[in-house]
Amino acid sequence: QVQLVESGGGLAQPGGSLRLSCAASGFTFSIYAMSWARQVPGKGLEWVSGINSDGTYTSYADSVKGRFTISRDNAKNTVYLQMNSLKPEDTALYFCIKSPTARGTPGFLGEYDFWGQGTQVTVSS
């Protein structure tokens, strides 16, 4: 069965960095787009960033553009989210999500068919 296991969350200071990882299994990772989404308690889900199946196309929400970088290693079945210049408003539960297509649809969370359990990111001094 499909499994997405996130790691790398934790506590960071404003201006600091964290790198999230998502280990995928149970499907042919290299042929599907992947994304990251996040949820703040009491608020809705927000799509954060996406990458196509071969890693040649990436997209970002305006709120993280220029600070976050998504990448993938298809040999390791892993997708990453490098988060720099972190802000308190980046505090959220971050989810790794799988698209049923090779390209994915940036921003459209309804498309994604599998979600990980999430990893908590807290940005605070």
Side-chain angles (χ1 to χ4, degrees), residues 57-114:
Y57 178 80
T58 59
S59 53
Y60 300 90
D62 287 344
S63 58
V64 307
K65 200 171 293 182
R67 300 187 298 120
F68 290 11
T69 302
I70 191 171
S71 62
R72 66 190 294 160
D73 185 337
N74 285 347
K76 296 182 178 179
N77 288 0
T78 302
V79 61
Y80 305 96
L81 186 68
Q82 177 68 42
M83 306 186 296
N84 297 330
S85 302
L86 284 163
K87 304 176 180 180
E89 51 263 44
D90 294 319
T91 295
L93 185 62
Y94 283 74
F95 297 95
C96 172
I97 54 179
K98 172 191 169 292
S99 170
T101 71
R103 176 66 180 249
T105 304
F108 181 50
L109 288 174
E111 165 184 291
Y112 294 86
D113 54 2
F114 289 95

